[in-house]
Structure formats: C-alpha cells, structure tokens
C-alpha cells in the first residue's frame, strides 16, 4: 500500500483529496513562507513562480522527515495588479483586503508538486481569475459577521464554497484551483502511475 502524505495543515486540501477517494495523511510542513515570499518578490518572481517554489520547498522538507512516503505539497498565491495578498490576520485585515479587491479582477494561482525518493516526480500550476463585485460597506460587515474567523485561514478572506460566493460577479477557471489545489491533474497523475486504480 502506497503511503501518501499531504504536506499541509489545510483542511480544505485534505478534504478535497479524501472526498475524491485519495487516502492520505495530512502533516503540516513548516517553512518560513513569509520570508521566502519577500525574498522572491524582491527578486522579481511572478506569483506562479512563488507558488511553485513554496510547494516544492514544502514537499522537500516533508520528504526529509517522511522518506518512506510519496509527498504531495501545494501552495496558492493571490495577485491583484501586481500586489500579492496573504491570509488575513484578523477582521480589520480581512476588511482591508476585500476593500482592495472590490470591483477588480484578481488571480488565484495554485501549484502542486509530488516528491518520491528524494526527487520531484510531478508538478503543475493552474490559475483562476475572479472578479469581485462592488459590494457596499454595510454588506461587507454582514459578510464578516456571517463568515466568521474561518476566513482568516483563506487568502483573500473568502471561501468560494460558502457565503464568499456572494463576493463575485465572475469566476473563470477550475473550481478546485480556487479552493487551493489543482485536483484533477493531480489525481490523473496518481492514476496514471498506479497509485490510484485506473
């Protein structure tokens, strides 16, 4: 039986995989994401390059801790007009992020990589484009009340699968990519390589 490890503390990513029938352990892979992002931004990296690099670093770190497993790692970046957004710290920060995104189209870039026996054996990047509507300040306060603190774990301060859907006028791209994992290419790779049944 192949041991699959998801190098992540993300409940959404773990749920996506388990709901799709992919049996995996979820173990957080701790890296200095903020430090690496600042460094890559200063070097002129794109959001896609940053997401892929962070996913690869998480996978490599987890592989070194769990060398008997096949490690899946992922990362997601939100970019709007050249600005990178992180998970909001609190209600005030969430409000500020959503004000900055209001009336604009932003990109969510999700990257995933797989490590086995010390080497990267697969990777992919996908981008979704989301347009935020011109919501009122009053609606935003109601949204923050309804969404609760769970959205502090979500880049941009929203969950598309919940009340966050009301933020948007258009979403172009793969649903799973928006949630933080290019799921279909990932399970396709696992199936093609005998890790999942064909």
């Amino acid at each position: 039986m192949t041991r699959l490890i998801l190098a992540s503390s993300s409940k959404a990513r773990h749920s996506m995989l388990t709901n799709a029938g992919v049996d995996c352990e979820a173990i957080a892979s701790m890296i200095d994401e903020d430090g690496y992002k600042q460094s890559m931004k200063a070097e002129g990296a794109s959001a896609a390059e940053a997401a892929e690099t962070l996913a690869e670093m998480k996978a490599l770190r987890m592989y070194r801790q769990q060398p008997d497993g096949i490690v899946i790692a992922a990362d997601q970046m939100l970019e709007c007009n050249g600005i990178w957004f992180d998970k909001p710290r609190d209600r005030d920060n969430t409000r500020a992020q959503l004000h900055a995104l209001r009336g604009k189209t932003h990109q969510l870039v999700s990257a995933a990589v797989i490590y086995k026996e010390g080497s990267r054996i697969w990777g992919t990047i996908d981008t979704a484009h989301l347009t935020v509507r011109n919501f009122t300040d009053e609606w935003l306060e109601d949204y923050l009340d309804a969404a609760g603190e769970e959205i502090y774990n979500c880049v941009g301060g929203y969950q598309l699968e919940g009340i966050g859907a009301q933020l948007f006028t258009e979403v172009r791209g793969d649903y799973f990519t928006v949630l933080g994992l290019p799921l279909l290419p990932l399970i396709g790779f696992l199936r093609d390589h005998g890790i999942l049944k064909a």
Side-chain angles (χ1 to χ4, degrees):
M1 187 73 178
T2 303
R3 184 181 179 220
L4 284 178
I5 300 167
L6 174 63
S8 176
S9 60
S10 167
K11 294 178 183 177
R13 290 191 181 110
H14 192 226
S15 293
M16 275 188 274
L17 286 166
T18 56
N19 289 343
V22 180
D23 186 22
C24 62
E25 304 170 52
I27 306 172
S29 182
M30 306 303 292
I31 64 169
D32 179 15
E33 288 193 44
D34 291 340
Y36 287 124
K37 284 180 185 178
Q38 290 175 11
S39 175
M40 285 185 281
K41 183 73 170 174
E43 292 170 3
S46 67
E49 289 169 336
E52 183 178 30
T53 298
L54 289 167
E56 185 149 357
M57 295 178 80
K58 291 174 186 177
L60 180 57
R61 184 177 181 89
M62 182 57 61
Y63 169 76
R64 288 172 176 163
Q65 297 170 5
Q66 307 285 341
D68 61 326
I70 296 175
V71 177
I72 302 166
D75 197 81
Q76 185 179 61
M77 296 286 294
L78 189 160
E79 186 269 329
C80 185
N81 296 337
I83 299 171
W84 294 358
F85 289 75
D86 291 313
K87 295 175 183 176
R89 297 181 300 275
D90 52 30
R91 184 183 178 106
D92 288 343
N93 191 226
T94 306
R95 183 188 297 109
Q97 287 198 19
L98 290 171
H99 274 146
L101 297 173
R102 181 166 55 184
K104 299 172 185 171
T105 298
H106 63 266
Q107 290 74 47
L108 278 178
V109 183
S110 290
V113 299
I114 297 178
Y115 259 69
K116 180 183 179 183
E117 297 176 353
S119 298
R120 171 177 163 158
I121 60 171
W122 177 84
T124 193
I125 303 170
D126 193 42
T127 302
H129 302 265
L130 298 87
T131 302
V132 178
R133 68 183 181 88
N134 282 305
F135 52 79
T136 65
D137 289 348
E138 181 181 10
W139 181 87
L140 178 57
E141 295 307 315
D142 290 343
Y143 164 76
L144 293 171
D145 289 340
E149 295 184 2
E150 186 69 23
I151 57 171
Y152 304 161
N153 296 317
C154 306
V155 64
Y158 59 80
Q159 294 172 313
L160 188 66
E161 66 272 32
I163 194 174
Q166 291 194 33
L167 283 162
F168 302 99
T169 58
E170 184 180 20
V171 175
R172 288 180 288 121
D174 183 77
Y175 177 71
F176 298 113
T177 291
V178 175
L179 299 190
L181 184 68
L183 181 65
L184 300 183
L186 171 58
I187 59 178
F189 175 85
L190 296 176
R191 189 169 50 245
D192 291 345
H193 286 75
I195 299 166
L196 295 178
K197 289 182 181 178

